[in-house]
Amino acid sequence: DTAVSQTPKYLVTQMGNDKSIKCEQNLGHDTMYWYKQDSKKFLKIMFSYNNKELIINETVPNRFSPKSPDKAHLNLHINSLELGDSAVYFCASSYGQGVTEAFFGQGTRLTVV
Amino acid sequence: DAKTTQPPSMDCAEGRAANLPCNHSTISGNEYVYWYRQIHSQGPQYIIHGLKNNETNEMASLIITEDRKSSTLILPHATLRDTAVYYCIVRVANAGNNRKLIWGLGTSLAVNP
């Protein structure tokens, strides 16, 4: 059973399109995250939700809109895709926001052409 | 910005102990040290974390110096499957008592047969 699953694993799309990445966790965690890993392999947090409430919103263009329908799901919608959005996006989850380990999904490789 | 410094790469012979150093000279008293690793094309995987005392689990040991300005992750008997990028991270307190992990570039560990 996959703990944190993301779909799709690969996404190739043209500039200007709108796309969504879905994430689901079956660990019973109450906190979920979206991270972006760029071509230089830096991993940066984008958003964090706790019990469906947004708690961390880093400096991310408002073309990126996370949505958490329930605490087991955190989807990422991206409008008007740009070349610079090409990256690997990771979803993660954890218990609470304190000293806990985070479980990561396998990533979604987004390529904007 | 990341608050940790790690060597960009290391080599280790299979079966030997791998000792991965990390400097975090600006760590504050209530900040924890986390270690994660990322095997190629996979999501990051939690390894271990600690505050002051040395820690050990089934994956690794974490040795933190008395002044807490540096730490070492020890993989006691490295295998080829331990080849990965290892991230040493200090947990930062954010506004509203929310916390996030700030990731550096890590150490690329190559375990050789």
Side-chain angles (χ1 to χ4, degrees):
Chain A
D1 288 340
T2 304
V4 182
S5 60
Q6 300 177 225
T7 54
K9 188 169 182 179
Y10 299 97
L11 185 54
V12 180
T13 187
Q14 290 186 326
M15 283 175 55
N17 284 349
D18 303 338
K19 290 294 179 185
S20 292
I21 307 172
K22 295 185 177 181
C23 179
E24 175 182 6
Q25 54 94 6
N26 62 5
L27 298 167
H29 290 163
D30 53 5
T31 303
M32 295 186 72
Y33 313 81
W34 276 110
Y35 283 85
K36 177 181 180 181
Q37 188 169 42
D38 61 24
S39 58
K40 295 181 179 171
K41 303 299 184 183
F42 271 114
L43 197 64
K44 292 191 70 173
I45 191 166
M46 300 172 69
F47 302 102
S48 175
Y49 271 74
N50 177 257
N51 280 320
K52 303 193 298 175
E53 181 183 348
L54 180 66
I55 55 171
I56 293 177
N57 183 351
E58 290 297 292
T59 310
V60 177
N62 57 15
R63 298 182 294 104
F64 291 78
S65 53
K67 284 189 171 50
S68 182
D70 55 62
K71 72 175 189 178
H73 296 83
L74 180 62
N75 303 322
L76 183 65
H77 188 75
I78 315 170
N79 290 326
S80 304
L81 278 155
E82 300 177 357
L83 294 177
D85 298 331
S86 295
V88 181
Y89 293 84
F90 288 100
C91 176
S93 71
S94 68
Y95 274 120
Q97 308 158 51
V99 186
T100 60
E101 61 183 278
F103 290 78
F104 283 77
Q106 291 301 295
T108 296
R109 182 173 293 277
L110 170 66
T111 303
V112 182
V113 297
Chain B
D1 293 334
K3 294 172 62 177
T4 62
T5 304
Q6 299 176 254
S9 63
M10 292 182 65
D11 285 292
C12 177
E14 189 178 15
R16 299 282 191 170
N19 298 302
L20 293 97
C22 179
N23 286 323
H24 31 79
S25 58
T26 60
I27 194 170
S28 61
N30 62 350
E31 290 181 318
Y32 286 74
V33 179
Y34 284 79
W35 283 83
Y36 281 77
R37 73 180 183 184
Q38 188 174 20
I39 296 169
H40 181 63
S41 296
Q42 296 185 21
Q45 177 190 24
Y46 166 84
I47 301 173
I48 199 166
H49 74 272
L51 181 63
K52 294 181 184 178
N53 300 323
N54 298 336
E55 302 287 345
T56 296
N57 63 20
E58 65 278 3
M59 289 183 70
S61 294
L62 174 60
I63 308 298
I64 302 175
T65 58
E66 195 168 337
D67 63 9
R68 302 187 68 241
K69 293 186 176 182
S70 66
S71 60
T72 300
L73 179 76
I74 301 173
L75 308 178
H77 305 286
T79 71
L80 298 179
R81 287 176 294 180
D82 291 323
T83 293
V85 178
Y86 286 77
Y87 296 96
C88 168
I89 306 157
V90 170
R91 189 191 68 172
V92 177
N94 202 0
N97 209 32
N98 298 320
R99 289 164 174 84
K100 60 181 179 181
L101 300 175
I102 297 179
W103 302 66
L105 284 176
T107 296
S108 180
L109 175 68
V111 180
N112 304 309

